[in-house]
Amino acid sequence: MPATRIWLKNPLAIFTGNALDARGGLVLQDGLIVEILGLGQQPASPCQEVFDAREHVLLPGLINTHHHFYQTLTRAWAPVVNQPLFPWLKTLYPVWARLTPEKLALATKVALAELLLSGCTTAADHHYLFPDGLENAIDVQVEAVRELGMRAMLTRGSMSLGEKDGGLPPQQTVQEGQVILDDSQRLIQQYHERGAGAQIQIALAPCSPFSVTPQIMAASAEMAEALDVRLHTHLAETLDEEDFCLQRFGLRTVDYLDSVGWLGPRTWLAHGIHFNPDEIARLGQAGTGICHCPSSNMRLASGICPSIELTDAGAPLGLGVDGSASNDASNMILEARQALYIQRLRYGAEKITPERVLGWATRGSASLLGRTDIGELAVGKQADLALFKLDELRFSGSHDPVSALLLCGADRADRVMIGGKWRVLDGQVDGLDLKGLIADHSQAARQLIANT
């Protein structure tokens, strides 16, 4: 029996992430885009299903390249509402150290569902907490990703430099280097999928210069090279971090990155705010990617990512929502809106267009994860799509549909497709008991904070 052909017909507007004319819509088959139709064009052969998209703005599925799923349990917690990064972390570390597999499963499911509802189809998570009893944290996350049918780059994070050795995290949150490396190798061998259409991928992600040793950074880079996986860490997020690197290593952040073998195209960095012109040039020459996290950077008053200088230098740039304790949301379409506005403060309105920012959230983010099969609408790409309606009060009177998504504040997709399968229908995650999930997750959040 031939595979079903689906025509998403004549969308209200469409952003392809490239120069293709797709105003006539897309034809999908076997989870892939098989035809791009210009205005007035018809499919080359009959389609068994036709979806009339006249009320929908159609985008490639949004791609989130930095998150901490577990942090959905500590959103808007009063003691850290007004703190910058270092004291924020030191206040929260002891709370996070009480994380359990059950709480992580709920937190991950909430983060993924929230992302999915915002039009996100692929998410990278940076999980670096493995207290006693939570050694299989990444395995817990794999189950949640599979349940919701999303794609994910799950990074095996780590912290190996505790307070007693001059690091920031408390001792109960750090692991020995060999434990980290052994588990990293296990996860890659057990879960990492390669090639087009991969659902689960694994990357190696020592947390930050102030929470891991140079030895684990270097060993992770060697393993990533040997096993052909990607590398991820936080870098140049705050001036405190820059001072820490200068005092402890005698090096600025990019020099430190280079010294441990991380300056290359396998690496993508979260935040990337405090670089000088020489460092930006080196990052671009190396092809090292940057994930811009605007909401978190504003919330913690960390600074503004120099996006245009980075991309002009050749560094790939994508977007991330960051953890839900420094953004307090897991919403990719709203993150794109924040990126538009904060970057306009730095570069002006003419340079930072809605299309440019949506490009960061799609094709740019895909490049950070080393993927060429997602992030744009073209023949042969995965059928990962986000469809938004403009029928709410906030959109009334808007004229340019693509711009309206960001300027009028779209926050929820009407439909989301991943690999040719609808995962969100009429603004609801298919098959998910959302009320039950919220009740269980809220209870877990209260328990985690209790007795703090």
Side-chain angles (χ1 to χ4, degrees), residues 66-71 74 85 88-89 92-93 96-97 99 104 125-131 134 137-138 141 154-160 169-170 172-175 180 205-208 210-212 232-234 237 322-326:
H66 184 66
H67 206 327
H68 307 290
F69 294 161
Y70 74 88
Q71 289 184 12
T74 50
L85 181 67
W88 177 89
L89 280 170
L92 280 164
Y93 277 141
W96 294 336
L99 203 59
L104 177 61
D125 189 58
H126 189 180
H127 188 86
Y128 49 80
L129 280 166
F130 298 84
L134 196 58
I138 306 300
Q141 294 189 311
L154 299 174
T155 73
R156 204 303 181 178
S158 53
M159 296 197 293
S160 61
Q172 71 265 36
T173 64
V174 302
Q175 290 182 300
I180 293 165
C207 186
S208 60
F210 50 81
S211 59
V212 295
H232 183 52
T233 193
H234 299 93
E237 182 177 1
D322 200 8
S324 291
S326 67

Side-chain angles (χ1 to χ4, degrees), residues 344-356:
R344 282 188 171 190
L345 281 179
R346 189 178 184 113
Y347 298 108
E350 298 89 351
K351 280 191 176 183
I352 307 297
T353 65
E355 290 80 7
R356 184 172 207 159

Side-chain angles (χ1 to χ4, degrees), residues 115-172:
L115 287 167
L116 190 52
L117 287 167
S118 75
C120 177
T121 53
T122 300
D125 189 58
H126 189 180
H127 188 86
Y128 49 80
L129 280 166
F130 298 84
D132 289 347
L134 196 58
E135 291 81 4
N136 292 329
I138 306 300
D139 306 77
V140 170
Q141 294 189 311
V142 167
E143 287 186 31
V145 171
R146 287 178 174 163
E147 183 181 344
L148 285 169
M150 292 181 70
R151 304 188 199 277
M153 175 74 83
L154 299 174
T155 73
R156 204 303 181 178
S158 53
M159 296 197 293
S160 61
L161 185 69
E163 284 176 320
K164 75 177 179 65
D165 297 313
L168 212 63
Q171 289 306 123
Q172 71 265 36

Side-chain angles (χ1 to χ4, degrees), residues 116-325:
L116 190 52
L117 287 167
S118 75
C120 177
T121 53
T122 300
D125 189 58
H126 189 180
H127 188 86
Y128 49 80
L129 280 166
F130 298 84
D132 289 347
L134 196 58
E135 291 81 4
N136 292 329
I138 306 300
D139 306 77
V140 170
Q141 294 189 311
V142 167
E143 287 186 31
V145 171
R146 287 178 174 163
E147 183 181 344
L148 285 169
M150 292 181 70
R151 304 188 199 277
M153 175 74 83
L154 299 174
T155 73
R156 204 303 181 178
S158 53
M159 296 197 293
S160 61
L161 185 69
E163 284 176 320
K164 75 177 179 65
D165 297 313
L168 212 63
Q171 289 306 123
Q172 71 265 36
T173 64
V174 302
Q175 290 182 300
E176 294 294 326
Q178 197 58 50
V179 171
I180 293 165
L181 294 172
D182 288 347
D183 192 47
S184 296
Q185 185 165 356
R186 175 189 72 84
L187 290 165
I188 294 165
Q189 291 172 343
Q190 189 167 344
Y191 296 119
H192 185 68
E193 300 172 21
R194 302 182 186 275
Q199 182 183 21
I200 305 280
Q201 295 190 311
I202 303 293
L204 304 184
C207 186
S208 60
F210 50 81
S211 59
V212 295
T213 61
Q215 291 77 17
I216 202 67
M217 289 287 286
S220 295
E222 290 169 9
M223 181 179 288
E225 182 73 27
L227 299 180
D228 190 23
V229 297
R230 296 186 82 74
L231 289 165
H232 183 52
T233 193
H234 299 93
L235 199 80
E237 182 177 1
T238 66
L239 292 173
D240 285 346
E241 178 193 324
E242 185 179 297
D243 292 342
F244 181 95
C245 287
L246 286 167
Q247 290 172 19
R248 187 171 183 90
F249 310 121
L251 299 168
R252 286 178 54 84
T253 53
V254 174
D255 290 325
Y256 174 69
L257 200 71
D258 198 7
S259 75
V260 291
W262 275 60
L263 195 59
R266 193 179 296 280
T267 299
W268 89 100
L269 307 169
H271 303 293
I273 297 169
H274 299 286
F275 296 131
N276 64 33
D278 175 65
E279 290 164 341
I280 289 172
R282 290 168 66 194
L283 289 163
Q285 188 172 13
T288 298
I290 306 294
C291 172
H292 177 31
C293 303
S295 294
S296 174
N297 297 162
M298 288 187 274
R299 154 80 197 267
L300 296 174
S302 301
I304 304 175
C305 175
S307 63
I308 301 300
E309 287 92 340
L310 284 162
T311 53
D312 284 352
L317 188 88
L319 293 185
V321 301
D322 200 8
S324 291

Side-chain angles (χ1 to χ4, degrees), residues 367-381:
S367 70
L368 296 193
L369 304 184
R371 298 195 66 152
T372 57
D373 60 328
I374 56 176
E376 61 176 313
L377 305 181
V379 170
K381 304 296 183 182

